[in-house]
C-alpha cells in the first residue's frame, strides 16, 4: 500500500527502504530529511498499525516548528493527484480560509479518485481544514491536564 505523508519529512535512516520519493517544498534543492521527527513518527505509526507492506511518498512542507502555508498544502495535494497512492496522511490543519475554495476542489478530486484522506484538527480546538471537509477523515488529539 502506498501512502503519502505531508509533514516534516521522513528520516531515510528509519524509513529508507520504504521511501518511494521525497520532495522538500521548503527548500527544493535540499534533502527531505526530517529535522523535527514528527513526520518520521507518523510514518512509524502507520507502518506499525498496518497489516500490509507500506511504502511512502513524503512531502516536507512543515518546518522544524511544524509551520507551513496554504500554498504549500495546495501544491502538495496537487502532487498527490499525480501518483499511485491509496492514503493521504496530513497531521496538519489550517484555520485560514483564504484558499478554502481551492482546497475543497482538490480534496473533492482526490476523494473522487478513490484516495482516502486523513487530516488532524488544530490543537487549538478550533475548526480546521482540510479535516472539517466531508471527504476527509478528521482526527482530533487528546488534551491532558495532568489530573489523576
Amino acid at each position: 500500500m502506498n501512502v503519502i505523508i505531508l509533514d516534516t519529512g521522513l528520516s531515510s535512516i528509519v524509513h529508507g527502504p520504504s521511501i518511494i520519493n521525497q520532495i522538500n517544498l521548503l527548500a527544493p534543492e535540499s534533502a527531505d530529511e526530517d529535522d523535527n521527527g514528527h513526520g518520521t513518527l507518523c510514518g512509524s505509526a502507520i507502518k506499525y498499525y498496518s497489516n500490509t507492506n507500506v511504502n511512502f511518498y513524503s512531502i516536507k512542507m512543515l518546518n522544524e516548528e511544524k509551520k507551513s502555508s496554504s500554498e504549500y498544502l495546495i501544491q502538495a495535494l496537487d502532487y498527490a493527484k499525480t501518483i499511485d497512492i491509496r492514503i493521504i496522511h496530513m497531521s496538519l490543519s489550517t484555520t485560514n480560509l483564504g484558499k478554502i475554495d481551492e482546497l475543497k476542489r482538490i480534496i473533492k478530486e482526490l476523494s473522487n479518485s478513490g484516495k482516502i484522506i486523513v487530516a488532524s484538527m488544530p490543537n487549538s480546538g478550533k475548526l480546521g481544514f482540510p479535516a472539517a471537509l466531508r471527504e476527509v477523515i478528521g482526527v482530533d488529539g487528546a488534551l491532558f491536564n495532568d489530573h489523576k
Side-chain angles (χ1 to χ4, degrees):
M1 170 177 65
N2 294 340
V3 176
I4 188 168
I5 296 180
L6 283 53
D7 209 288
T8 58
L10 286 177
S11 167
S12 58
I13 295 169
V14 176
H15 294 294
S18 301
I19 298 172
I20 297 170
N21 191 25
Q22 296 179 287
I23 296 173
N24 184 342
L25 293 180
L26 304 175
E29 66 286 345
S30 299
D32 182 36
E33 283 301 309
D34 188 352
D35 51 14
N36 175 282
H38 191 267
T40 299
L41 181 62
C42 291
S44 295
I46 290 167
K47 285 190 96 159
Y48 182 81
Y49 289 105
S50 177
N51 62 356
T52 187
N53 186 37
V54 178
N55 294 301
F56 295 111
Y57 288 85
S58 170
I59 297 189
K60 181 175 186 162
M61 58 169 288
L62 300 178
N63 66 19
E64 63 277 354
E65 297 172 359
K66 295 188 282 185
K67 297 187 186 299
S68 192
S69 70
S70 297
E71 288 79 14
Y72 285 150
L73 179 57
I74 298 294
Q75 191 176 348
L77 291 171
D78 268 335
Y79 175 72
K81 293 188 304 188
T82 69
I83 56 176
D84 178 29
I85 53 169
R86 179 76 175 126
I87 297 174
I88 300 168
H89 177 275
M90 299 174 278
S91 189
L92 55 86
S93 64
T94 182
T95 56
N96 181 341
L97 300 179
K99 300 266 184 188
I100 192 65
D101 291 335
E102 193 171 0
L103 183 60
K104 285 179 181 179
R105 179 189 56 75
I106 292 171
I107 292 291
K108 187 174 253 338
E109 289 173 7
L110 289 163
S111 178
N112 288 343
S113 71
K115 295 177 184 354
I116 298 167
I117 308 161
V118 181
S120 65
M121 292 297 286
N123 292 333
S124 66
K126 295 180 181 177
L127 189 63
F129 297 92
L133 298 175
R134 169 180 285 148
E135 299 85 0
V136 177
I137 299 169
V139 180
D140 200 3
L143 178 62
F144 296 98
N145 293 324
D146 209 19
H147 292 105
K148 295 182 183 182

